[in-house]
Amino acid sequence: MRTFIFCILVLVFNYSALAQPVTTTFEQSKEQGISFVKLDSLYHGATHANPQKNVFKEHQTKFLKSIGL
């Protein structure tokens, strides 16, 4: 029974290691036909002059203080 549970755990851990998301560089994205402009429009910046257009929304000031800016 312990061997069976061990085998199941090994299979689950191996699957979870393989199921991680894949990241690409800007160069790889460009080769795949995905422009920087498209990426920039999909993924908003952490900070912005207009707090409603950034990732942290109303928490921008707290974020900037936390990173020393």
Side-chain angles (χ1 to χ4, degrees):
M1 182 66 176
R2 287 183 182 176
T3 305
F4 177 73
I5 292 173
F6 178 75
C7 289
I8 294 297
L9 287 175
V10 168
L11 288 173
V12 168
F13 286 128
N14 283 335
Y15 176 74
S16 66
L18 295 173
Q20 300 302 316
V22 176
T23 60
T24 60
T25 64
F26 288 112
E27 291 81 17
Q28 290 170 329
S29 297
K30 189 175 180 180
E31 290 171 4
Q32 295 175 3
I34 303 169
S35 69
F36 175 77
V37 174
K38 180 171 174 113
L39 290 173
D40 194 42
S41 69
L42 293 174
Y43 302 102
H44 300 287
T47 61
H48 192 277
N50 179 351
Q52 295 305 313
K53 292 186 177 182
N54 65 45
V55 173
F56 295 102
K57 305 279 186 232
E58 65 274 357
H59 304 291
Q60 177 173 321
T61 305
K62 184 177 177 182
F63 167 71
L64 291 174
K65 285 182 182 178
S66 73
I67 61 171
L69 295 177

CSV table of all heavy atoms in Angstrom, one decimal, residues 2 7 11-12 14-15 17 19 24-25 28 33 35 39 45 47 49 51-52 54 58 63 66-67:
chain,number,residue,atom,x,y,z
A,2,ARG,N,2.0,1.2,0.8
A,2,ARG,CA,2.9,2.4,0.8
A,2,ARG,C,3.5,2.6,-0.5
A,2,ARG,O,3.7,3.7,-1.0
A,2,ARG,CB,3.9,2.2,1.9
A,2,ARG,CG,3.4,2.3,3.3
A,2,ARG,CD,4.5,2.2,4.3
A,2,ARG,NE,4.0,2.3,5.6
A,2,ARG,CZ,4.7,2.1,6.7
A,2,ARG,NH1,6.0,1.8,6.6
A,2,ARG,NH2,4.1,2.2,7.9
A,7,CYS,N,4.1,5.8,-5.4
A,7,CYS,CA,4.0,5.9,-6.9
A,7,CYS,C,3.1,7.0,-7.3
A,7,CYS,O,3.4,7.8,-8.2
A,7,CYS,CB,3.7,4.6,-7.5
A,7,CYS,SG,4.9,3.3,-7.4
A,11,LEU,N,4.1,10.5,-9.4
A,11,LEU,CA,3.4,10.8,-10.6
A,11,LEU,C,2.8,12.2,-10.5
A,11,LEU,O,2.9,13.0,-11.5
A,11,LEU,CB,2.3,9.8,-11.0
A,11,LEU,CG,2.8,8.5,-11.5
A,11,LEU,CD1,1.7,7.5,-11.6
A,11,LEU,CD2,3.6,8.6,-12.8
A,12,VAL,N,2.2,12.5,-9.4
A,12,VAL,CA,1.5,13.8,-9.2
A,12,VAL,C,2.6,14.9,-9.2
A,12,VAL,O,2.4,16.0,-9.9
A,12,VAL,CB,0.7,13.9,-7.9
A,12,VAL,CG1,0.2,15.3,-7.6
A,12,VAL,CG2,-0.5,13.0,-8.1
A,14,ASN,N,5.6,14.9,-10.5
A,14,ASN,CA,6.2,15.0,-11.8
A,14,ASN,C,5.3,15.8,-12.8
A,14,ASN,O,5.7,16.7,-13.5
A,14,ASN,CB,6.5,13.7,-12.5
A,14,ASN,CG,7.7,13.1,-11.9
A,14,ASN,OD1,8.6,13.8,-11.4
A,14,ASN,ND2,7.8,11.7,-11.9
A,15,TYR,N,4.0,15.5,-12.7
A,15,TYR,CA,3.0,16.2,-13.6
A,15,TYR,C,3.0,17.7,-13.2
A,15,TYR,O,3.0,18.6,-14.1
A,15,TYR,CB,1.6,15.6,-13.4
A,15,TYR,CG,0.6,16.4,-14.2
A,15,TYR,CD1,0.5,16.3,-15.6
A,15,TYR,CD2,-0.3,17.3,-13.6
A,15,TYR,CE1,-0.4,17.0,-16.3
A,15,TYR,CE2,-1.2,18.0,-14.3
A,15,TYR,CZ,-1.3,17.9,-15.6
A,15,TYR,OH,-2.2,18.6,-16.4
A,17,ALA,N,5.3,19.5,-12.0
A,17,ALA,CA,6.5,20.2,-12.4
A,17,ALA,C,6.5,20.5,-13.9
A,17,ALA,O,7.0,21.5,-14.4
A,17,ALA,CB,7.7,19.3,-12.1
A,19,ALA,N,3.7,21.0,-15.6
A,19,ALA,CA,2.6,21.8,-16.0
A,19,ALA,C,2.8,23.3,-15.7
A,19,ALA,O,1.9,24.1,-15.7
A,19,ALA,CB,1.3,21.3,-15.2
A,24,THR,N,8.5,33.5,-22.5
A,24,THR,CA,9.3,33.7,-23.6
A,24,THR,C,10.0,35.1,-23.5
A,24,THR,O,9.5,36.0,-22.8
A,24,THR,CB,8.5,33.7,-25.0
A,24,THR,OG1,7.5,34.7,-24.9
A,24,THR,CG2,7.9,32.3,-25.2
A,25,THR,N,11.1,35.3,-24.2
A,25,THR,CA,11.7,36.6,-24.2
A,25,THR,C,11.0,37.5,-25.3
A,25,THR,O,10.2,37.0,-26.1
A,25,THR,CB,13.2,36.5,-24.6
A,25,THR,OG1,13.3,35.9,-25.9
A,25,THR,CG2,13.9,35.6,-23.6
A,28,GLN,N,11.9,36.1,-28.7
A,28,GLN,CA,11.1,34.9,-29.1
A,28,GLN,C,9.7,35.3,-29.5
A,28,GLN,O,9.1,34.7,-30.4
A,28,GLN,CB,11.1,33.9,-27.9
A,28,GLN,CG,12.4,33.2,-27.7
A,28,GLN,CD,12.4,32.4,-26.4
A,28,GLN,OE1,11.8,32.8,-25.4
A,28,GLN,NE2,13.2,31.4,-26.4
A,33,GLY,N,5.7,36.4,-34.1
A,33,GLY,CA,4.8,37.3,-34.7
A,33,GLY,C,4.0,38.1,-33.7
A,33,GLY,O,3.0,38.7,-34.0
A,35,SER,N,4.1,41.3,-31.4
A,35,SER,CA,4.9,42.5,-31.3
A,35,SER,C,4.9,43.0,-29.8
A,35,SER,O,4.0,42.7,-29.0
A,35,SER,CB,4.3,43.6,-32.1
A,35,SER,OG,3.1,44.1,-31.6
A,39,LEU,N,2.0,43.1,-26.7
A,39,LEU,CA,2.3,42.7,-25.3
A,39,LEU,C,2.0,43.8,-24.4
A,39,LEU,O,1.4,43.6,-23.3
A,39,LEU,CB,3.7,42.2,-25.2
A,39,LEU,CG,4.0,40.9,-25.9
A,39,LEU,CD1,5.5,40.6,-25.8
A,39,LEU,CD2,3.3,39.7,-25.3
A,45,GLY,N,1.3,48.2,-17.0
A,45,GLY,CA,2.4,48.5,-16.2
A,45,GLY,C,2.1,48.6,-14.7
A,45,GLY,O,0.9,48.8,-14.3
A,47,THR,N,3.0,50.9,-12.6
A,47,THR,CA,2.7,52.3,-12.3
A,47,THR,C,2.3,53.1,-13.5
A,47,THR,O,2.7,52.7,-14.6
A,47,THR,CB,3.9,53.0,-11.6
A,47,THR,OG1,5.0,53.0,-12.5
A,47,THR,CG2,4.3,52.3,-10.3
A,49,ALA,N,0.8,57.4,-14.6
A,49,ALA,CA,0.4,58.7,-14.2
A,49,ALA,C,-1.1,58.7,-13.7
A,49,ALA,O,-1.4,59.4,-12.8
A,49,ALA,CB,0.6,59.7,-15.2
A,51,PRO,N,-3.7,56.6,-11.9
A,51,PRO,CA,-3.7,55.5,-11.1
A,51,PRO,C,-4.8,54.4,-11.5
A,51,PRO,O,-4.6,53.2,-11.2
A,51,PRO,CB,-4.1,56.0,-9.7
A,51,PRO,CG,-3.7,57.4,-9.7
A,51,PRO,CD,-3.9,57.9,-11.1
A,52,GLN,N,-5.7,54.7,-12.3
A,52,GLN,CA,-6.7,53.8,-12.7
A,52,GLN,C,-6.2,52.9,-13.9
A,52,GLN,O,-6.8,51.9,-14.3
A,52,GLN,CB,-8.0,54.4,-13.1
A,52,GLN,CG,-8.7,55.1,-12.0
A,52,GLN,CD,-9.0,54.2,-10.8
A,52,GLN,OE1,-9.5,53.1,-11.0
A,52,GLN,NE2,-8.7,54.6,-9.6
A,54,ASN,N,-3.1,51.4,-13.9
A,54,ASN,CA,-2.0,50.6,-13.5
A,54,ASN,C,-2.5,49.3,-12.8
A,54,ASN,O,-3.6,49.2,-12.5
A,54,ASN,CB,-0.9,51.4,-12.7
A,54,ASN,CG,-1.5,51.8,-11.4
A,54,ASN,OD1,-2.2,51.0,-10.7
A,54,ASN,ND2,-1.3,53.0,-11.0
A,58,GLU,N,-5.5,52.0,-6.8
A,58,GLU,CA,-5.4,53.0,-5.7
A,58,GLU,C,-4.3,52.7,-4.7
A,58,GLU,O,-4.0,53.5,-3.9
A,58,GLU,CB,-6.8,53.0,-4.9
A,58,GLU,CG,-7.1,51.8,-4.2
A,58,GLU,CD,-7.9,50.8,-5.0
A,58,GLU,OE1,-8.2,51.0,-6.2
A,58,GLU,OE2,-8.2,49.7,-4.5
A,63,PHE,N,2.7,51.0,-3.1
A,63,PHE,CA,3.7,50.2,-3.8
A,63,PHE,C,5.0,51.0,-4.0
A,63,PHE,O,6.1,50.4,-3.8
A,63,PHE,CB,3.1,49.8,-5.2
A,63,PHE,CG,4.1,49.2,-6.1
A,63,PHE,CD1,4.6,48.0,-5.9
A,63,PHE,CD2,4.5,49.9,-7.2
A,63,PHE,CE1,5.6,47.4,-6.8
A,63,PHE,CE2,5.4,49.4,-8.1
A,63,PHE,CZ,5.9,48.2,-7.9
A,66,SER,N,7.0,51.1,-1.0
A,66,SER,CA,7.5,49.8,-0.6
A,66,SER,C,8.8,49.5,-1.4
A,66,SER,O,9.7,48.7,-0.9
A,66,SER,CB,6.5,48.7,-0.8
A,66,SER,OG,6.3,48.4,-2.1
A,67,ILE,N,9.0,50.0,-2.6
A,67,ILE,CA,10.2,49.8,-3.4
A,67,ILE,C,11.2,50.9,-3.3
A,67,ILE,O,12.1,51.0,-4.0
A,67,ILE,CB,9.8,49.5,-4.9
A,67,ILE,CG1,9.1,50.6,-5.5
A,67,ILE,CG2,9.0,48.2,-5.0
A,67,ILE,CD1,9.0,50.5,-7.0
